[in-house]
Amino acid sequence: DVFVGYLFGRTKATEVAHVIQKGDIVVDATCGNGNDTLAMLKMVTDDSDGYGGHVYALDIQKDAIESTSSLLDQTLGSKEKERVKLFNICHSKMEEIVPENSRVRMVAFNLGYLPGGNKSIITVSDTTLSALKAAERVLMPGGLISLVVYIGHPGGREELDVVEAFASGLPVSDWVCCKFQMLNRPLAPVPVFMFKREK
Ligand code: SAM
């Protein structure tokens, strides 16, 4: 049931709510304009009593960190905002900022470039692969790696190949790896991947 909600598209709260629980630690590996960061924060926070976990939100672009910070300022109170930790670093370095021995329930990637931003700053195969390996190491059993991949820009198809090869190599005894995509948009299928760690 974790995967069913993804049939038509992007990372949305309802679709990963089966996995993320209040109080969890989650990582937004490409926070961009902060939309996914905000959605993930809502999933780890209990509105009724303020109990909540943390979102570690990363982006290689300072503009993206500022954009995410501004969205959070507009939407959240100061106590809630404290639950989001923003880092202007490459996602391949996520282990440097996620507290050691923390149990990370989800690492979300929305690859490509910042909408409305500098289109020359994009995720690239090498660091995406390093980040996936880091995500594999920090993720707790029962946790989820999600990716939305775009192939329309230079390097997009190579990055897609890297993501698929990474998932194909994960042991079937420990991982369930799925891909969904729009079959009637061959030039822009927007594949969505979910890799669930069973053990
Ligand atoms: N999830 C975002 C949102 O809700 O607005 C959109 C993300 S956007 C499609 C991709 C982001 O990845 C861009 O903001 C870009 O700066 C960032 N990025 C590119 N390379 C990166 C890297 N190596 N590490 C972390 N972020 C990176």
Side-chain angles (χ1 to χ4, degrees):
D1 60 340
V2 168
F3 303 116
V4 172
Y6 273 89
L7 277 172
F8 294 104
R10 317 293 167 91
T11 310
K12 290 216 176 87
T14 46
E15 286 120 30
V16 290
H18 303 281
V19 173
I20 298 186
Q21 295 168 23
K22 310 296 179 198
D24 278 350
I25 291 177
V26 294
V27 176
D28 184 350
T30 50
C31 67
N33 292 319
N35 301 297
D36 294 334
T37 303
L38 195 56
M40 291 167 88
L41 181 70
K42 288 188 176 147
M43 285 185 269
V44 300
T45 309
D46 191 335
D47 289 336
S48 63
D49 60 8
Y51 170 73
H54 290 96
V55 184
Y56 288 80
L58 286 56
D59 204 291
I60 201 153
Q61 256 188 98
K62 196 159 169 277
D63 283 359
I65 296 296
E66 282 166 7
S67 178
T68 295
S69 182
S70 152
L71 179 70
L72 299 179
D73 283 340
Q74 289 162 32
T75 323
L76 305 173
S78 57
K79 277 258 178 298
E80 280 176 298
K81 197 184 172 191
E82 278 171 24
R83 297 196 175 283
V84 181
K85 313 288 179 196
L86 292 170
F87 297 91
N88 183 196
I89 60 165
C90 175
H91 40 215
S92 60
K93 298 188 174 160
M94 71 177 77
E95 287 159 295
E96 293 177 14
I97 53 96
V98 175
E100 215 173 325
N101 299 324
S102 53
R103 292 162 60 80
V104 175
R105 184 85 67 180
M106 183 174 182
V107 182
F109 294 84
N110 188 344
L111 301 179
Y113 54 79
L114 179 65
N118 183 344
K119 292 191 177 166
S120 68
I121 304 176
I122 53 172
T123 54
V124 291
S125 300
D126 279 1
T127 43
T128 298
L129 179 59
S130 299
L132 281 169
K133 289 178 178 170
E136 182 188 353
R137 289 189 290 270
V138 302
L139 202 72
M140 64 188 285
L144 191 71
I145 298 174
S146 74
L147 297 102
V148 182
V149 183
Y150 306 91
I151 61 166
H153 57 276
R157 281 197 182 268
E158 291 74 17
E159 195 174 33
L160 174 64
D161 289 345
V162 161
V163 170
E164 293 196 351
F166 168 80
S168 304
L170 292 173
V172 70
S173 54
D174 297 359
W175 291 83
V176 179
C177 298
C178 292
K179 172 188 178 184
F180 301 96
Q181 69 178 37
M182 286 184 254
L183 294 170
N184 54 349
R185 282 183 62 184
L187 298 178
V190 199
V192 175
F193 293 87
M194 272 173 292
F195 311 148
K196 184 156 187 266
R197 174 172 219 140
E198 298 286 332
K199 292 187 214 158

